[in-house]
């Protein structure tokens, strides 16, 4: 398993190009299953989870053309096997995003139940209940979900007990070909949901209210092919923004969407970081001044993103005072804490809260990544720690950050990958 060796004491300076959003590209690739016509997708990030999703589409019998850069072409013809096997789903739980489109178009889906995950149980009960409300019959046997709708799905009111991003996306993709109107209540408002709705609309779907808590869909008979460019990855952008702040640097985030980073920007400014919108798709982040401790609570968008919690915690180890980090979305998303403590951070966990005392001089150590965003927090801490930090299991990072070491090195970081 690869590992990163990070030299501490650097200052990140310069401009970094933000890639397309992994968490938009995943549902967008799944949406290609809704039509037999060719689809062309631009700004697909070449990261592990995307390759997994493309392999899954090919496994079902779709044609996927990916030259490694530039647009990706997908054609999901009518001779498709609507099945997602355990071998694939166990490596990426977002494979459950194929449920909605498969039942919607093929009236049947056989998808392996995703197993547990490091950050929490992450069931997909809300996805399945939503499909049942649309008339699908759901059976769970031998670790698989079999969803069938022999007469097609029927539009209905689908109310989510709790907000779920991929649950909203799954039901949105199921509803676009259902008979009649569907109303999704308590829908997720993430930008990735809006990006998916934009693509579906280009394909001929009739959707209103994406980005709000209530989405209204009029089912149509069929969808055509379309061309689409994925939105910028707000979590990658936020990660680099925190990198600029923690190293007291000066970094331009090029090709980002500033309004998708509103919650983080507000907290960084409160903490004493200068964040300036220098163009509609550019943010400049300047650290260097005194850093103040500021509390966060992770919430559904437009609240503070849980996917930036670990990275923000690394920053708070350098801030003056006590910062309380509350994780409200996942039940076990503090696995980076013991690793940061091994780097001399002062953090105490109390249930769903982590209390971070600063500033603390971090010292480089041999640490282990446990999930995608925890690995980012450890690399960020390594940039500012004294000496060398070795981060094991960086395959977690490769799942969601495109060319991360070359982007960081381009900003002045001293980081190298060791294949072990
Ligand atoms: C999406 O996961 C993202 N992944 C996650 O990003 C992100 O952390 C999460 O949303 C929250 O923002 C993708 O978009 C591919 P949820 P998702 O359903 O949809 C519970 C990353 O780092 N829940 O919004 O799986 C669930 O356990 C990843 O890129 C149920 O109980 O998250 C969680 O506590 C990590 N039953 C909460 O809801 C369900 O059926 C929110 O989960 C579904 C969810």
């Amino acid at each position: 398993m690869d590992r990163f060796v990070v030299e501490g004491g650097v200052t990140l300076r310069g401009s970094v190009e933000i890639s397309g959003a992994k968490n938009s590209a995943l549902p967008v690739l799944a949406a290609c299953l809704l039509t037999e016509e060719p689809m062309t997708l631009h700004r697909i990030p070449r990261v592990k989870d995307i390759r997994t999703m493309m392999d899954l589409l090919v496994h079902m019998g779709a044609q996927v053309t990916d030259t490694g850069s530039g647009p990706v072409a997908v054609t999901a013809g009518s001779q498709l096997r609507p099945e997602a096997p355990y071998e694939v789903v166990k490596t990426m739980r977002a494979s459950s995003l194929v449920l909605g489109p498969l039942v919607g178009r093929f009236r049947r889906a056989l998808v392996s139940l995703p197993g547990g995950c490091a950050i929490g149980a992450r069931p997909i009960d809300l996805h399945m209940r939503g499909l049942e409300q649309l008339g699908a019959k759901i059976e769970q046997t031998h670790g698989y979900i079999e969803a069938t709708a022999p007469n097609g799905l029927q539009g209905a009111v689908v109310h989510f007990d709790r907000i779920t991003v991929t649950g909203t996306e799954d039901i949105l993709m199921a509803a676009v070909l259902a008979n009649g109107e569907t109303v999704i209540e308590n829908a997720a408002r993430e930008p990735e949901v809006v990006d998916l709705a934009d693509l579906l609309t280009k394909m001929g779907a009739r959707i209103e209210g994406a980005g709000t808590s209530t989405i209204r869909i009029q089912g149509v008979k069929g969808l055509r092919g379309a061309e689409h460019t994925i939105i910028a990855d707000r979590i990658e952008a936020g990660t680099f923004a925190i990198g600029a702040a923690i190293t007291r640097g000066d970094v331009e985030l090029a090709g980002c969407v500033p309004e998708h980073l509103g919650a983080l920007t507000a907290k960084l400014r409160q903490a004493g970081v200068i964040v300036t919108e220098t163009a509609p798709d550019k943010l400049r982040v300047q650290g260097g001044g005194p850093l103040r401790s500021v509390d966060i609570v992770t919430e559904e968008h437009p609240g503070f993103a849980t996917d930036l919690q670990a990275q923000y915690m690394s920053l708070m180890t350098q801030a003056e005072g006590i910062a309380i980090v509350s994780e409200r979305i996942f039940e076990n998303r503090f696995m980076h804490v013991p690793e940061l403590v091994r780097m001399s951070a002062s953090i105490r966990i109390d249930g769903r809260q982590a209390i971070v005392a600063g500033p603390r001089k971090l010292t480089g150590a041999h640490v282990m990544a446990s999930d995608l965003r925890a690995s980012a927090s450890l690399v960020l801490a390594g940039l500012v720690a004294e000496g060398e930090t070795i981060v094991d299991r960086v395959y977690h990072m490769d799942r969601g950050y495109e060319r991360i070491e070359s982007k960081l090195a381009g900003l002045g970081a001293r980081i190298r990958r060791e294949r072990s």
Side-chain angles (χ1 to χ4, degrees), residues 22-23 122-126 164-166 307 329-330 373:
K22 158 181 93 80
N23 289 349
R122 299 182 73 185
I124 58 167
D125 55 314
L126 301 175
T164 160
V165 177
T166 50
D307 291 349
I329 304 294
F330 289 110
R373 308 305 173 181

Side-chain angles (χ1 to χ4, degrees), residues 22-23 26-27 93-94 97 119-128 162-167 169 190 234 300 306-307 329-331 333 371-373:
K22 158 181 93 80
N23 289 349
L26 288 168
R93 50 180 314 93
L97 280 165
I119 61 179
R122 299 182 73 185
I124 58 167
D125 55 314
L126 301 175
H127 300 230
M128 294 191 279
R162 74 174 293 180
I163 294 170
T164 160
V165 177
T166 50
E169 292 163 345
E190 269 68 5
R234 61 194 167 96
E300 294 86 359
T306 174
D307 291 349
I329 304 294
F330 289 110
E331 62 267 27
R333 204 168 196 177
D371 68 85
L372 170 54
R373 308 305 173 181

Side-chain angles (χ1 to χ4, degrees), residues 9-148:
V10 302
T11 299
L12 297 187
R13 290 189 194 291
S15 179
V16 61
E17 185 67 33
I18 301 302
S19 299
K22 158 181 93 80
N23 289 349
S24 177
L26 288 168
V28 161
L29 282 164
C32 297
L33 294 166
L34 285 163
T35 178
E36 63 180 5
E37 295 185 12
M39 300 283 286
T40 305
L41 305 174
H42 299 272
R43 207 179 182 185
I44 292 279
R46 268 48 177 205
V47 296
K48 181 84 176 62
D49 277 3
I50 298 302
R51 275 196 299 280
T52 303
M53 181 60 88
M54 289 198 246
D55 292 348
L56 176 56
L57 296 179
V58 170
H59 175 89
M60 290 182 198
Q63 280 176 328
V64 177
T65 309
D66 173 19
T67 58
S69 63
V72 170
V74 181
T75 304
S78 48
Q79 306 309 317
L80 217 69
R81 215 181 16 265
E83 296 176 13
Y86 175 69
E87 293 70 30
V88 176
V89 177
K90 74 177 178 185
T91 64
M92 187 186 65
R93 50 180 314 93
S95 309
S96 58
L97 280 165
V98 302
L99 259 175
L102 290 177
V103 181
R105 179 174 167 215
F106 297 97
R107 303 187 170 185
R108 178 180 172 271
L110 184 68
V111 176
S112 167
L113 260 174
C117 158
I119 61 179
R122 299 182 73 185
I124 58 167
D125 55 314
L126 301 175
H127 300 230
M128 294 191 279
R129 198 173 308 147
L131 287 172
E132 284 175 330
Q133 287 169 285
L134 293 176
K137 183 163 160 285
I138 304 270
E139 281 183 86
Q140 285 190 36
T141 48
H142 308 295
Y144 277 76
I145 302 159
E146 181 163 26
T148 52

Side-chain angles (χ1 to χ4, degrees), residues 131-136 149 151-158 178-182:
L131 287 172
E132 284 175 330
Q133 287 169 285
L134 293 176
N151 306 315
L153 294 173
Q154 306 303 320
V157 175
V158 175
N179 301 310
E181 177 181 74
T182 295

Side-chain angles (χ1 to χ4, degrees), residues 227-240:
E227 186 153 5
H228 185 69
T229 299
I230 303 289
I231 55 169
D233 192 318
R234 61 194 167 96
I235 305 303
E236 182 196 20
T239 303
F240 280 110

